[in-house]
Amino acid sequence: MSSEKHFVLSLYTRTWVRDSHGLYDYESSQTRNLNAVLADSVIIARKKHEIKTVTAKNEMQPDEEMLIDVKYEKNDRYILENPVEIMMEPSEKNITDLSNKIWYVLKQEENNGNNQQTITNTNDDYYLCKNDIIKLGRVKYALNEIHIPSKENNIDIDLPPNSNSDYNIESINMNSQPVFNFIFQAKQCESINEDENLCKICYGNSNESSNPLVHLCNCQGGIRFAHYFCIKKWMETKLVIKENEKKTVKSFNIKAFNCEICKVPYPFSFRIDNNNERFDLIEIERPENDYIILESLNQVKENSNIKSIHVIQLTDDCITIGRGHESDVRINDISVSRSHAKLQYDKNSGRLLLRDLKSKFGTLVLLKKPLTIKERKIHLQIGRTYIEASLMGMKEFEKLKKEKRTKHHAQQENNNNNNMNNNNNMNNNNNNDNNNNVDPNSQGNSLAMTGLIQK
Ligand SMILES: [Zn+2]
Ligand SMILES: [Zn+2]
């Protein structure tokens, strides 16, 4: 077998059979598992609970979801990608679609003894960057502001501390553009129609630059416009401000941050046309010292949109995030563990560490750029599919193939021989408890499965 390749891409995938807000239950045994070895560019897709490969995007079926676009480049580079659009409208659909992008998994292990289902996560801690999107359970947050004046001109601010680590996930997200365009482009009333240029809240028709009549939702006709001050006042009646015990976290929560009539979520901020002035619907005091702002992404429950904004002062004290009352950042959602994650600030480096605290559904960080896989195993999640990816040396790969050949029956032997001369093969192990009903021929010629590989 002549090959210039020194490595193949080794993948271990587990797909949770339940589909619940893009969550993956790390404790569930109800998963479909698949080991695969790739040696070429391919698209990894999910069809119901099965993971399969497709050679090109235009060959994907409507009931298949793209999980990863694997690109093989010379010198053993395997690049994983599922492009994230930037500066999108933060619509419910766009936010939900993010679930099927590639997320880096932070997960501290519970020791379950010899339970085979246990996943040993070897991902490093994560150092947050501006514009990152994190996911705790099903609740997503954008890191919209980082204010560290002493480090403003220090380009080292984002550099990882242990540069000997074989690669740093932070460097992928560093200096990336925001995924969502949170500043809504609003239309100011220009109507000369007497019936239409009224505020739907106070019925007034004044229209000043400091308090414009604006259109922020989907209402049409006579209830199209409202004054900026009127909407803001109305939101303030629903605003609940909470502070943690140490007075380092101030949380602004509004349970129905949306138009009462058409139910469309309101934007936190808007601009009128190309004017630079920014109007905020929630008045937020910003601390003088180092702080960050986490803004929850729209979460619509029973037609009402929940908005939470957490202003977090960065001190030496660690900040806990969770559903429990004692948490500094409290998230009232059943998918969030009582004690879910923590933030630890290092004043000297200006770096902010995010660590999972043995949460049920893990703490995830959205990857916004392609990820090159090296030898260290990387743990990723794409919706309800969990993936471990690493490079496998050719020697190890050949050894596994040999082992498998001696183990298997004649019929599988035939399948193997058909594909052994092919460098683009994929080895498959459908080791779930259900019947193995995968047809080897369904993968196409270049990606035919060659049987079992056991790790
Ligand atoms: Zn008004
Ligand atoms: Zn409306």
Side-chain angles (χ1 to χ4, degrees):
M1 184 179 187
S2 71
S3 170
E4 289 167 22
K5 285 179 179 126
H6 301 98
F7 292 98
V8 290
L9 178 65
S10 167
L11 296 174
Y12 173 46
T13 74
R14 296 162 68 125
T15 300
W16 192 28
V17 296
R18 277 192 61 195
D19 195 356
S20 174
H21 304 274
L23 294 170
Y24 177 84
D25 185 350
Y26 289 83
E27 289 153 22
S28 173
S29 54
Q30 301 241 300
T31 58
R32 299 289 202 100
N33 308 336
L34 181 84
N35 280 346
V37 175
L38 302 176
D40 212 339
S41 298
V42 74
I43 288 170
I44 299 169
R46 181 175 60 217
K47 182 174 183 164
K48 271 193 183 165
H49 308 317
E50 306 301 337
I51 301 300
K52 57 178 287 191
T53 55
V54 182
T55 43
K57 259 185 203 168
N58 56 17
E59 286 174 17
M60 282 182 61
Q61 303 298 313
D63 60 345
E64 294 170 353
E65 296 169 276
M66 178 175 103
L67 300 185
I68 306 179
D69 191 356
V70 179
K71 289 201 176 80
Y72 173 75
E73 288 182 1
K74 271 181 189 161
N75 303 321
D76 294 317
R77 278 166 61 85
Y78 292 90
I79 301 163
L80 308 189
E81 194 178 2
N82 185 348
V84 175
E85 240 185 274
I86 54 156
M87 300 301 274
M88 292 184 285
E89 286 299 318
S91 68
E92 205 50 29
K93 185 189 176 298
N94 286 342
I95 289 165
T96 304
D97 283 353
L98 272 196
S99 290
N100 274 334
K101 299 296 177 181
I102 303 175
W103 296 77
Y104 183 74
V105 179
L106 299 170
K107 180 97 175 78
Q108 293 284 311
E109 308 309 327
E110 282 287 2
N111 194 349
N112 286 352
N114 278 337
N115 183 354
Q116 271 202 333
Q117 296 294 333
T118 304
I119 288 166
T120 306
N121 191 324
T122 51
N123 278 355
D124 287 340
D125 285 325
Y126 184 81
Y127 289 89
L128 285 167
C129 310
K130 196 185 171 194
N131 298 322
D132 273 348
I133 292 186
I134 59 173
K135 188 167 180 268
L136 308 141
R138 63 185 170 188
V139 183
K140 302 182 189 93
Y141 281 99
L143 179 53
N144 280 350
E145 278 185 48
I146 294 190
H147 179 77
I148 305 174
S150 62
K151 296 283 173 188
E152 214 121 58
N153 300 315
N154 184 351
I155 51 155
D156 285 337
I157 180 170
D158 278 327
L159 284 184
N162 48 341
S163 43
N164 58 350
S165 157
D166 57 358
Y167 53 119
N168 293 288
I169 298 298
E170 291 88 6
S171 59
I172 291 175
N173 280 349
M174 215 184 286
N175 302 320
S176 61
Q177 292 276 316
V179 173
F180 293 112
N181 189 1
F182 286 107
I183 305 180
F184 184 74
Q185 289 288 327
K187 280 261 171 290
Q188 185 171 5
C189 176
E190 289 170 350
S191 171
I192 43 159
N193 182 340
E194 280 291 313
D195 290 336
E196 278 195 12
N197 57 2
L198 288 179
C199 169
K200 66 180 161 192
I201 298 168
C202 73
Y203 304 112
N205 63 358
S206 66
N207 192 1
E208 291 151 20
S209 59
S210 60
N211 183 23
L213 266 178
V214 282
H215 185 212
L216 296 182
C217 61
N218 277 354
C219 289
Q220 300 298 330
I223 52 166
R224 196 175 153 89
F225 296 105
H227 286 121
Y228 162 52
F229 285 161
C230 289
I231 302 175
K232 198 174 159 194
K233 248 191 219 162
W234 181 18
M235 288 301 117
E236 273 164 11
T237 64
K238 303 192 250 183
L239 179 63
V240 178
I241 302 175
K242 280 199 176 135
E243 245 179 327
N244 65 339
E245 222 166 84
K246 287 173 260 170
K247 307 271 179 219
T248 49
V249 178
K250 214 169 194 180
S251 301
F252 301 76
N253 300 301
I254 294 183
K255 263 197 189 133
F257 194 64
N258 49 264
C259 170
E260 302 265 300
I261 300 160
C262 70
K263 306 292 181 192
V264 162
Y266 278 136
F268 168 46
S269 297
F270 67 89
R271 272 192 187 113
I272 290 169
D273 299 326
N274 291 320
N275 207 319
N276 254 341
E277 197 182 348
R278 181 176 155 163
F279 301 87
D280 289 347
L281 285 186
I282 307 171
E283 197 86 54
I284 282 179
E285 308 146 48
R286 287 162 169 85
E288 272 175 35
N289 294 324
D290 303 358
Y291 71 88
I292 59 165
I293 293 184
L294 288 178
E295 177 176 349
S296 70
L297 303 187
N298 296 4
Q299 220 198 316
V300 177
K301 265 189 203 162
E302 286 145 18
N303 265 339
S304 91
N305 175 47
I306 298 161
K307 177 63 84 185
S308 296
I309 290 170
H310 305 283
V311 181
I312 302 168
Q313 290 190 48
L314 302 174
T315 66
D316 291 338
D317 289 330
C318 131
I319 288 145
T320 55
I321 309 174
R323 184 162 48 88
H325 285 273
E326 67 293 341
S327 298
D328 296 307
V329 177
R330 264 204 78 196
I331 308 172
N332 190 12
D333 189 284
I334 193 72
S335 64
V336 176
S337 297
R338 270 174 230 285
S339 176
H340 196 112
K342 72 169 188 177
L343 294 169
Q344 184 73 58
Y345 180 55
D346 176 21
K347 215 178 173 93
N348 292 324
S349 64
R351 293 161 53 76
L352 184 60
L353 177 131
L354 173 66
R355 180 174 287 173
D356 181 71
L357 297 174
K358 297 182 177 163
S359 67
K360 181 173 168 65
F361 292 110
T363 300
L364 311 182
V365 180
L366 180 70
L367 288 189
K368 287 182 267 179
K369 291 177 200 160
L371 168 68
T372 304
I373 293 298
K374 300 186 183 172
E375 279 173 84
R376 177 162 80 81
K377 196 183 275 177
I378 287 288
H379 307 258
L380 305 167
Q381 194 186 316
I382 301 153
R384 59 198 168 90
T385 298
Y386 163 84
I387 296 181
E388 289 177 0
S390 61
L391 292 189
M392 183 190 283
M394 269 319 204
K395 266 191 189 156
E396 194 189 340
F397 177 53
E398 294 297 335
K399 206 177 122 203
L400 279 169
K401 277 205 291 194
K402 223 182 212 171
E403 281 174 14
K404 173 208 61 189
R405 239 180 293 179
T406 52
K407 270 182 191 170
H408 271 64
H409 303 300
Q411 202 211 327
Q412 274 144 324
E413 188 68 51
N414 278 339
N415 278 342
N416 289 347
N417 290 338
N418 289 342
N419 299 307
M420 275 305 160
N421 301 328
N422 193 335
N423 253 344
N424 302 334
N425 54 10
M426 172 173 180
N427 289 269
N428 242 311
N429 171 19
N430 209 352
N431 60 0
N432 55 62
D433 295 326
N434 303 322
N435 288 333
N436 187 341
N437 55 2
V438 178
D439 171 13
N441 300 319
S442 69
Q443 300 281 335
N445 286 335
S446 63
L447 289 154
M449 288 180 282
T450 58
L452 191 75
I453 281 202
Q454 269 170 341
K455 284 190 183 174

